[in-house]
Amino acid sequence: MTLGFAAQAKELDRVVFLEAHPDDLASEMGTAVLMKGIYEMHVIDYTHGEWGCGEEKATNGWTKAKRTQEESDVCKALGAKLHWLDEVDGHAYAGKDSTERLAALLKELKPRAVIMHWPICDHPDHVMSYAAGMKALHLAGLFHSTEVYFHFQQYQNRNFQPRIYVDITKVMDERNRLIRMYECQDGARLADYKEQVGRVFGKMTGYSVECLEAYSLMTGTCGPGRCIFDKLPRTSY
């Protein structure tokens, strides 16, 4: 008996990128490009980044519409599915409603891994999205079965402790193209800055690679043989 293609196709493990704002994904963009076709990717944005272009454009709705469209275009190019929690930029809170909605979404998706903001951070929205993510994993009953990682947000993070480095050298052109799509956040400058940070990591680690993206991990949720990064170029623990 020959099974049809749909029956033979293996379902991909799911990876969730939990972000506070559109364009936070820029810190993981090279990794996301490398994951395309390996994992089923989902991007969950806690806010629409409404206040990212000044008061006038926030109050008339321009920024929300623009940043929502930019994030949608980036996710489409990545083949990632986009979800919104509709908290307000600058006023995000890990409250009961948004946390329970996030928990319901995670329970439905059953991701193998969640990548979120590092909790020691100068930006309150980043901290709130982290807090909501941790509580939602608990509410969804996924806390002990899901790999949890933290991405590096450059100058806003404090005491970040990288354990995993992903070599994104071969996908730099595509990575930078996608980051430049965040036009209202000066995507060209953002892409250049992220590339400089990646090259610094490349020099610091001694791996003799041009550009790296760095991650920390929640102890006990992953390790060699059980880590989403094992399928990507050059990782370390």
Side-chain angles (χ1 to χ4, degrees), residues 1 4 8 30 46 48 53 62 75 98 101 103 116-117 162 175-176 189 225 235:
M1 179 179 177
Q8 295 182 59
Y46 211 55
H48 293 263
C53 297
W62 183 90
C75 287
S98 57
R101 285 189 287 115
M116 63 179 77
H117 284 279
R175 178 231 204 192
N176 289 341
R189 178 198 59 80
T235 60

Side-chain angles (χ1 to χ4, degrees), residues 73-219:
D73 291 342
V74 169
C75 287
K76 183 177 180 180
L78 283 170
K81 299 180 182 179
L82 177 60
H83 312 266
W84 301 96
L85 290 176
D86 299 323
E87 285 286 318
V88 178
D89 181 22
H91 302 276
Y93 181 64
K96 185 175 186 293
D97 178 62
S98 57
T99 301
E100 288 183 347
R101 285 189 287 115
L102 177 56
L105 179 55
L106 292 177
K107 190 172 184 178
E108 178 184 349
L109 293 176
K110 293 182 176 62
R112 173 177 167 178
V114 176
I115 306 174
M116 63 179 77
H117 284 279
W118 178 248
I120 309 173
C121 185
D122 291 346
H123 200 310
D125 288 352
H126 296 175
V127 178
M128 286 296 105
S129 68
Y130 155 83
M134 296 302 291
K135 182 63 175 178
L137 285 169
H138 174 73
L139 291 175
L142 299 173
F143 193 79
H144 298 292
S145 61
T146 305
E147 299 168 39
V148 179
Y149 305 92
F150 308 101
H151 68 80
F152 182 54
Q153 200 66 26
Q154 285 81 42
Y155 61 90
Q156 292 169 321
N157 286 166
R158 296 290 179 266
N159 200 33
F160 185 78
Q161 300 171 17
R163 291 277 304 279
I164 297 170
Y165 297 93
V166 178
D167 182 1
I168 60 169
T169 305
K170 292 183 178 179
V171 297
M172 283 300 299
D173 288 346
E174 177 65 5
R175 178 231 204 192
N176 289 341
R177 183 186 74 82
L178 293 172
I179 295 176
R180 291 187 190 106
M181 292 171 67
Y182 297 117
E183 293 179 356
C184 75
Q185 298 301 295
D186 196 358
R189 178 198 59 80
L190 182 62
D192 288 344
Y193 175 64
K194 298 290 186 183
E195 181 172 344
Q196 291 174 22
V197 172
R199 291 186 183 279
V200 169
F201 275 129
K203 292 179 180 179
M204 287 174 55
T205 57
Y207 290 145
S208 300
V209 295
E210 289 185 24
C211 201
L212 297 170
E213 286 178 343
Y215 298 88
S216 185
L217 57 88
M218 177 165 286
T219 303

Side-chain angles (χ1 to χ4, degrees), residues 17 19 21-23 25 41-48 67-76 79-85 105 109 182:
F17 297 87
E19 311 295 350
H21 317 94
D23 86 348
L25 185 61
M41 295 184 289
H42 292 259
V43 176
I44 304 176
D45 280 339
Y46 211 55
T47 79
H48 293 263
R67 297 190 75 179
T68 297
Q69 186 60 55
E70 287 177 352
E71 188 78 312
S72 177
D73 291 342
V74 169
C75 287
K76 183 177 180 180
K81 299 180 182 179
L82 177 60
H83 312 266
W84 301 96
L85 290 176
L105 179 55
L109 293 176
Y182 297 117

